[in-house]
Amino acid sequence: MHDLGIVGAGPAGMAAALAVADMGFSVIVVDEQARAGGQIFRRPPEAWGERHGVYRPYAWARDLIERFEDHPKITAAFRATAFGVLRGNDKDDRASLELAVSSPDGGQRVSARRLLLATGAYDMPVAFPGWTLPGVMTAGAIQSLIKSQKLLSGKRVVLAGSHPIQLILAGQLLDAGADIVEIALARDLPGLKEMARGLPAVPGHVSIFTEAVRALSKIMRHGVPIRWRTVVSEATPEDTGLRVRLETVDPSWLGTGESHLHEADILVLGYGFTPSTELARQAGCEMKWDSAGGGWTVLHDARFQSTAPDIFVAGEPTGVAGAERAWAEGHIAGLFIAASLGAKLDDRALSHSTRRLIRAGRFSDVMQTMFEPKRKALAELSRQDETVICRCEEVRNRQIEDALQNNPFIQSVNAVKLECRSGMGVCQGRYCEGTVAARIGNAREASIEASGYYNAHLPVKPVALQVYRDISKD
Ligand SMILES: Cc1cc2nc3c(=O)[nH]c(=O)nc-3n(C[C@H](O)[C@H](O)[C@H](O)COP(=O)(O)OP(=O)(O)OC[C@H]3O[C@@H](n4cnc5c(N)ncnc54)[C@H](O)[C@@H]3O)c2cc1C
């Protein structure tokens, strides 16, 4: 049995692993990617012979990754998916906590005295006619291909979204040789007052702003048009790629009816990020609604302990707040986990990381407020009868609409799921939960929070049946 099991080798998981391993405890880290780094520090495959990727503007990433990879008390399992948390009693009748893991070698149970869920975030899905077509991709997918495979997925690119990641990504796409047709941003150009409110974000984050300015000047040098108050409203297949309709919106992001068309090879969506919380839900952790932080987040205390016994959480599942904050949360969680395992709490390290957490929080608070997506307006893009809402079960808008009209007492995403199967497929609702919840909110004139979240069941991610046989043999 390990002292600590961690899911996720991003900045949060790595920082926690080091804090606990440095105290002499054994740590196992499970990650479905091929190498440590998480979303932000994604690297080319090991076989290419490059130990590091490009980490700008995070100078501390190199040291973090090297210390993590070289630490004798840390065992890392890559290409390994944690698909459930199991509780029970071991053969000596002591309470046990286990991760159900699927890897290329089959299934296994990983036992640990404590668990830390540092599972990151994924791109926020937005449903509109054509969003499931080949060529319609998310910012995360495009960035992963560039960072890990040095691959450009198409030449002519339209970017549509509202998150500043779109500007950074546009810079990376231009470097990779793409022709960017247009960047369509849903929000308005920030005014002077809003910029002034954002000033507290600057101290300690000059390098991040420098990176953004660098990307913006590249965009301007290439003459790429940026259109504000514009959302994507439709994509249709063409012989040579996609036809993308972009629609002008009012300040609340509702369509004005005015639109224009572009032809492109790929359409990149970047409306924000959703915390990856399915494992926490399945493990019984209580959730908390935080729209600016990405939606449903994991409720935790100041030690980053969740409401489920012995399960801690750090990084994006507590709210999408960037790499620096993820590192600080992971480190603080690690210090408290080590203390819960019997080590003396390292007060100096704790106050150092707390200062870093507060500084990172000043940045993330501004970013979250400035770029919070208007979820209810975006959900209205899925209004046409045949628009797919749940792509796994192919549930279309017409069925959601009928369920809501015919059953006036339906108030929750789980009730819609029972009525028309949305969220019942292999992704367990990761793609449709936000749209269904916002559509219920619009139909019932209620908050999105009131629609709740899908229950998560084991396996939280698809695994082969063989894996079940393996874990039941143990
Ligand atoms: C596309 C994209 C671009 C981003 N760009 C920036 C940026 O420029 N600047 C910035 O500050 N932040 C950016 N972010 C936010 C970024 O996610 C965080 O800053 C940072 O990576 C968060 O660290 P983390 O450790 O919480 O999660 P992550 O770095 O996302 O790490 C989570 C890890 O958990 C693993 N994992 C998840 N579930 C499982 C499971 N069930 N089993 C096994 N492994 C699992 C994943 O494979 C991943 O490696 C971006 C996020 C995305 C999605």
Side-chain angles (χ1 to χ4, degrees), residues 8-264:
M14 286 191 288
L18 285 166
V20 175
D22 281 347
M23 300 278 193
F25 296 107
S26 66
V27 180
I28 182 162
V29 183
V30 174
D31 197 300
E32 57 195 354
Q33 297 301 322
R35 300 181 85 178
Q39 175 63 33
I40 185 100
F41 306 136
R42 220 173 256 276
R43 295 178 282 167
E46 219 168 339
W48 292 15
E50 297 168 26
R51 181 160 193 191
H52 289 290
V54 178
Y55 307 138
R56 222 179 43 222
Y58 303 103
W60 42 268
R62 220 180 161 84
D63 177 56
L64 177 67
I65 290 174
E66 285 182 8
R67 286 217 322 115
F68 174 83
E69 287 182 336
D70 298 340
H71 204 295
K73 300 293 288 184
I74 299 175
T75 307
F78 293 111
R79 295 193 179 90
T81 300
F83 63 92
V85 173
L86 308 169
R87 281 184 192 273
N89 291 324
D90 65 14
K91 54 185 184 329
D92 301 319
D93 211 28
R94 288 174 309 205
S96 68
L97 190 54
E98 291 176 325
L99 279 174
V101 176
S102 163
S103 70
D105 301 329
Q108 57 172 308
R109 293 166 179 240
V110 172
S111 306
R113 293 164 69 198
R114 305 283 181 275
L115 284 184
L116 174 80
L117 305 180
T119 44
Y122 49 89
D123 299 86
M124 174 184 149
V126 174
F128 57 88
W131 71 290
T132 55
L133 285 172
V136 181
M137 299 177 76
T138 60
I142 298 287
Q143 214 180 39
S144 301
L145 285 171
I146 294 178
K147 282 185 182 176
S148 64
Q149 303 296 317
K150 304 197 176 167
L151 204 69
L152 186 61
S153 14
K155 184 86 176 143
R156 299 166 302 160
V157 184
V158 170
L159 292 114
S162 53
H163 197 272
I165 180 84
Q166 291 293 70
L167 300 178
I168 305 281
L169 184 57
Q172 291 165 341
L173 281 163
L174 289 171
D175 282 345
D179 292 331
I180 300 184
V181 182
E182 181 175 317
I183 303 174
L185 296 172
R187 52 156 300 148
D188 244 332
L189 184 67
L192 280 177
K193 262 196 196 151
E194 201 181 359
M195 301 259 242
R197 279 201 299 274
L199 285 177
V202 179
H205 302 98
V206 174
S207 57
I208 297 181
F209 285 100
T210 311
E211 192 65 14
V213 169
R214 203 197 304 254
L216 254 179
S217 59
K218 210 173 293 168
I219 290 165
M220 285 160 80
R221 251 198 339 271
H222 281 80
V224 175
I226 301 183
R227 222 185 261 247
W228 301 88
R229 273 212 212 160
T230 306
V231 299
V232 57
S233 58
E234 187 182 37
T236 41
E238 287 280 302
D239 287 347
T240 55
L242 294 168
R243 176 178 293 192
V244 178
R245 183 177 296 282
L246 298 166
E247 185 168 352
T248 311
V249 288
D250 65 17
S252 55
W253 296 17
L254 287 170
T256 59
E258 199 182 297
S259 69
H260 60 284
L261 293 167
H262 282 303
E263 301 219 336

